[in-house]
Amino acid sequence: QGFASGDAEADASALRLFVDEGHNVALAQSFAKNFGLYGERTGTFSVVTNSPEEKEAVLSQLRLIIRPMYSSPPIHGASIVKTVLDDGGLTDQYYGECKLMATRIQSMRTLLVEKLKEAGSTHDWSHVTGQIGMFAFTGMNSDMCDELTSKYSIFLTRDGRISLAGLNDGNVEYVANAVHAVTDGKSITA
């Protein structure tokens, strides 16, 4: 969708390869993060089938699954996405902004690892720079994460997953120092 690399076409290459090779594919896609539609439950579920008959069979099953979940899905978020993607200028702006955000997040990954090294960390943090997207799996355990939250007011999931979108030039050194403080002399997983 564009947040992984900043290029939606590049991000879709693996999916397109599977389809081109004749695989049936099911794809669940959310617009919560990349369109800023948190709480709107806006996304798509797409299925590639081999024939019109298979399409109808899949659609029939999907209707049986979704019917008990909701009668009328929310339309507000979907209308926003449709408006943006139906307008060439807005679409170009959207993809440009995705590219900017992906580039910014990748630079924060790099800067976080640099600041960790400057703080004295001897851990190999290359797994952080090697990942893509808004989040990073740090390799910290739940105790480390709890300490980050209680001592430093840095919030992340207890499995070590942290949002890089919240980092900026003004707080990345603080975060790096705190991460170093809770990981120094302890093992992390890459």
Side-chain angles (χ1 to χ4, degrees):
Q1 296 176 355
F3 259 12
S5 70
D7 181 344
E9 292 300 314
D11 292 353
S13 63
L15 175 66
R16 290 195 174 115
L17 175 65
F18 284 123
V19 171
D20 290 345
E21 289 182 351
H23 298 283
N24 289 356
V25 175
L27 171 69
Q29 189 173 14
S30 169
F31 295 112
K33 292 176 186 71
N34 59 347
F35 270 88
L37 293 171
Y38 298 95
E40 296 293 333
R41 299 296 176 230
T42 302
T44 63
F45 183 67
S46 306
V47 180
V48 176
T49 60
N50 289 321
S51 68
E53 296 78 21
E54 188 177 24
K55 173 192 159 199
E56 288 305 318
V58 168
L59 191 54
S60 171
Q61 292 302 304
L62 289 175
R63 286 182 180 135
L64 289 172
I65 293 167
I66 64 171
R67 181 66 179 148
M69 293 182 198
Y70 57 82
S71 293
S72 298
I75 194 166
H76 179 72
S79 294
I80 293 171
V81 173
K82 183 179 184 332
T83 298
V84 170
L85 296 181
D86 279 350
D87 180 293
L90 290 175
T91 299
D92 290 344
Q93 179 182 344
Y94 163 72
Y95 284 125
E97 290 173 2
C98 281
K99 175 71 172 165
L100 285 172
M101 187 60 146
T103 300
R104 191 190 82 73
I105 290 170
Q106 192 58 42
S107 72
M108 285 298 111
R109 283 179 187 283
T110 302
L111 187 56
L112 176 61
V113 170
E114 288 172 5
K115 294 294 182 184
L116 281 162
K117 289 177 186 172
E118 287 175 18
S121 180
T122 57
H123 289 295
D124 176 6
W125 294 100
S126 61
H127 60 281
V128 172
T129 53
Q131 298 168 32
I132 57 174
M134 290 179 63
F135 298 93
F137 287 97
T138 61
M140 292 185 288
N141 65 35
S142 59
D143 291 337
M144 294 170 185
C145 296
D146 290 344
E147 188 175 351
L148 272 180
T149 300
S150 65
K151 281 190 178 177
Y152 301 95
S153 299
I154 296 171
F155 298 89
L156 66 164
T157 58
R158 295 184 79 231
D159 63 358
R161 180 176 176 250
I162 192 166
S163 171
L164 296 173
L167 293 180
N168 59 55
D169 292 332
N171 67 13
V172 68
E173 186 170 4
Y174 174 81
V175 172
N177 287 333
V179 168
H180 173 56
V182 302
T183 60
D184 191 28
K186 301 172 188 164
S187 178
I188 62 168
T189 57

